[in-house]
Amino acid sequence: MLTVVVLAGCGASGSAAGPAPRSPSPSPDSPVQLCTRLISYWAEQDIIGSKWAGLDWEQKGLSNEQFGLFDDIVQEARGEQRRHGTDAALDLVRRRSAERCKAANGATHSSENWRPPS
């Protein structure tokens, strides 16, 4: 036989304490932060040869402009990988993604499908 017990409330019976205080919700990422995370993630997947590296720009969630940055960064990172190894290429990907996304203010303006978060 299955017995189900339901507890009402979280505090001790007769306690005057209210609910636990909620921590503030994290603020959404800025377009620059999103761009950096997207491009660095997908470029890293490309450099390490992940099975997901072959997805197209829409499947990766990139705008047209972000895809252009991604392509440039991957090409640069492949050269770095040949010269100095995968770890150096991954470092370059992270650094260049942050630099290029900041310079392009998130690189979202060229995509016909991109809409600002609501």
Side-chain angles (χ1 to χ4, degrees):
M1 176 174 217
L2 177 64
T3 304
V4 177
V5 177
V6 177
L7 300 174
C10 297
S13 176
S15 169
R22 295 174 49 131
S23 57
S25 298
S27 61
D29 289 339
S30 71
V32 172
Q33 291 167 318
L34 288 172
C35 174
T36 300
R37 284 195 6 234
L38 280 169
I39 291 176
S40 64
Y41 176 81
W42 288 114
E44 288 172 14
Q45 295 302 301
D46 197 279
I47 295 302
I48 64 172
S50 164
K51 69 179 184 176
W52 303 110
L55 297 176
D56 69 23
W57 65 274
E58 287 181 305
Q59 292 168 317
K60 292 175 180 175
L62 302 174
S63 71
N64 300 344
E65 189 176 4
Q66 288 166 347
F67 181 71
L69 297 178
F70 162 83
D71 194 43
D72 290 348
I73 290 166
V74 167
Q75 294 304 317
E76 188 178 351
R78 285 185 183 144
E80 184 73 4
Q81 187 177 32
R82 283 190 298 276
R83 289 185 303 277
H84 302 289
T86 300
D87 287 341
L90 294 174
D91 287 342
L92 182 139
V93 161
R94 292 178 200 112
R95 187 176 64 253
R96 296 294 287 149
S97 295
E99 293 168 358
R100 299 283 305 270
C101 286
K102 183 178 179 183
N105 197 27
T108 58
H109 302 294
S110 68
S111 177
E112 295 172 9
N113 299 322
W114 185 85
R115 301 289 181 269
S118 53

